Amino acid sequence: MLRWLVQTAVLFGVLFGVVVGGRLVLNQLLQHPAPRAVEAQERITTPATTAIPVAPSPTPLATVTLPDDRAAGLTRPTPPPARSTPSPTPTLPPHGQTAPVPILMYHYIRPKPANDPLGAALSVDPETFAAQMDWLAAHGYTTLTLHELAEVRAGKIGLPPKPIVLTFDDGYRDFYTAAWPVLKRHGFKATIFIITGVVGNPQYMTWDMLRELDRSGLVEVGGHTVHHLDLTQLNASALEHEVADCKQTLETQLGHPIESFAYPAGRFNETVVSAVQRAGFTLAVTTKPGWARATDAPLVLPRVRIQGDLTLAGFADILGS
Ligand SMILES: [Zn+2]
């Protein structure tokens, strides 16, 4: 009897072990597919991101192909249906980065001066400017700084719908008094190009104004040389001084790296572009007309000039609406 009891107990023990062990194995099998799917998903995504070549700096002028084209063409794998939790932070930005981006170019935001045709062409009336900004807001545009455009081009952030970059050359004081209140009201971002040699002069902004704008998080300060000379006409050391010292002064005054540059009067050649690259600027804008494409070389981006006499209909037309 005792023997029978022992045998039964042993049998039960074995059976119990088999059942529990089996369930554990079964659980293992059941649980495995999900992590494997994630792993597979990551394996598919990983090469896509790591395969994107990082644009080397120094980048040759004419032969720049940005990684965005290929990155944008890749489709992210669909998450496995069994997973209800969202997949981890996407490794690719959600929007295509091949879309051209208009970089608008402003100078003065002031009433048109009389008897000064050039000054008038460079001046956008404050009311006209406000109407243009209202129009952008009403039509769902998202403003980016040039620094952010560089991040888009590097694949670090996605391109928002209806992206636009607003740039203001020369650092005139009317940016602070007339443009900035309008931009701030809309929460719009802008990039301003500063001639360091004239900061604080009556017509130009002061370092205190520039620091305030810089701290706002909405305005990126970029370089526009020390004296606003035609850079194609300078000797090597003068060119170096105009480009590198401008950057150095801005960085000392604002306490952080300066990344964007605008060529005075849009004048540049290969020597000038090399100096801008050597100084360490990431993006530079010209006065060449056009929208900035992902395939454009980063140091010679075109812009869209906003003339003083442009009507609101003309403004809408330029932006293709
Ligand atoms: Zn200028």
Side-chain angles (χ1 to χ4, degrees):
M1 177 68 183
L2 188 67
R3 213 168 135 198
W4 180 82
L5 270 175
V6 169
Q7 273 176 351
T8 311
V10 167
L11 192 66
F12 267 105
V14 168
L15 272 176
F16 183 77
V18 165
V19 168
V20 170
R23 284 188 65 168
L24 280 174
V25 170
L26 201 64
N27 276 346
Q28 285 278 320
L29 286 172
L30 283 173
Q31 279 169 4
H32 240 107
R36 258 206 218 130
V38 178
E39 198 184 294
Q41 191 191 349
E42 272 165 11
R43 269 211 213 113
I44 295 163
T45 18
T46 310
T49 43
T50 49
I52 298 167
V54 177
S57 90
T59 335
L61 250 187
T63 55
V64 179
T65 330
L66 276 158
D68 316 347
D69 287 331
R70 269 168 288 169
L74 292 168
T75 43
R76 272 190 287 151
T78 328
R83 281 172 58 84
S84 55
T85 45
S87 51
T89 320
T91 45
L92 278 179
H95 303 287
Q97 291 163 20
T98 51
V101 177
I103 304 175
L104 305 192
M105 170 175 50
Y106 291 95
H107 287 82
Y108 297 102
I109 305 301
R110 63 175 184 184
K112 286 171 200 53
N115 308 319
D116 178 7
L118 179 65
L122 293 175
S123 304
V124 173
D125 192 272
E127 282 175 24
T128 304
F129 177 74
Q132 290 173 354
M133 296 303 108
D134 290 347
W135 187 92
L136 290 179
H139 288 81
Y141 280 83
T142 304
T143 53
L144 300 173
T145 61
L146 268 186
H147 162 74
E148 287 172 324
L149 185 62
E151 299 222 296
V152 166
R153 291 166 64 96
K156 290 180 188 165
I157 58 171
L159 196 59
K162 293 203 169 187
I164 192 165
V165 179
L166 308 173
T167 66
F168 299 80
D169 287 17
D170 303 341
Y172 297 119
R173 195 166 291 197
D174 57 45
F175 174 84
Y176 185 82
T177 56
W180 173 228
V182 177
L183 295 171
K184 198 160 48 171
R185 192 168 71 229
H186 287 298
F188 277 179
K189 294 173 179 173
T191 300
I192 57 177
F193 294 109
I194 301 303
I195 310 159
T196 52
V198 296
V199 171
N201 286 7
Q203 215 184 358
Y204 297 87
M205 286 185 273
T206 63
W207 285 116
D208 278 345
M209 290 172 185
L210 294 176
R211 271 188 284 271
E212 181 192 330
L213 294 169
D214 183 63
R215 277 197 306 266
S216 74
L218 291 177
V219 178
E220 175 193 5
V221 176
H224 200 35
T225 72
V226 181
H227 298 106
H228 206 271
L229 303 172
D230 177 349
L231 297 180
T232 63
Q233 300 300 309
L234 302 181
N235 65 32
S237 68
L239 173 61
E240 203 69 32
H241 165 65
E242 286 294 325
V243 175
D245 289 5
C246 162
K247 188 171 191 284
Q248 183 59 58
T249 304
L250 288 171
E251 292 181 346
T252 305
Q253 290 287 345
L254 301 176
H256 61 77
I258 297 297
E259 299 172 359
S260 303
F261 184 83
Y263 302 94
R267 304 280 295 158
F268 68 92
N269 57 22
E270 259 186 70
T271 311
V272 170
V273 174
S274 298
V276 168
Q277 188 167 59
R278 261 199 318 281
F281 288 105
T282 319
L283 286 190
V285 291
T286 66
T287 55
K288 256 190 337 185
W291 290 30
R293 295 168 187 279
T295 48
D296 284 329
L299 295 180
V300 288
L301 294 179
R303 285 192 288 178
V304 177
R305 185 186 289 273
I306 303 300
Q307 300 270 18
D309 56 1
L310 189 67
T311 61
L312 195 58
F315 184 78
D317 203 43
I318 280 179
L319 296 174
S321 300

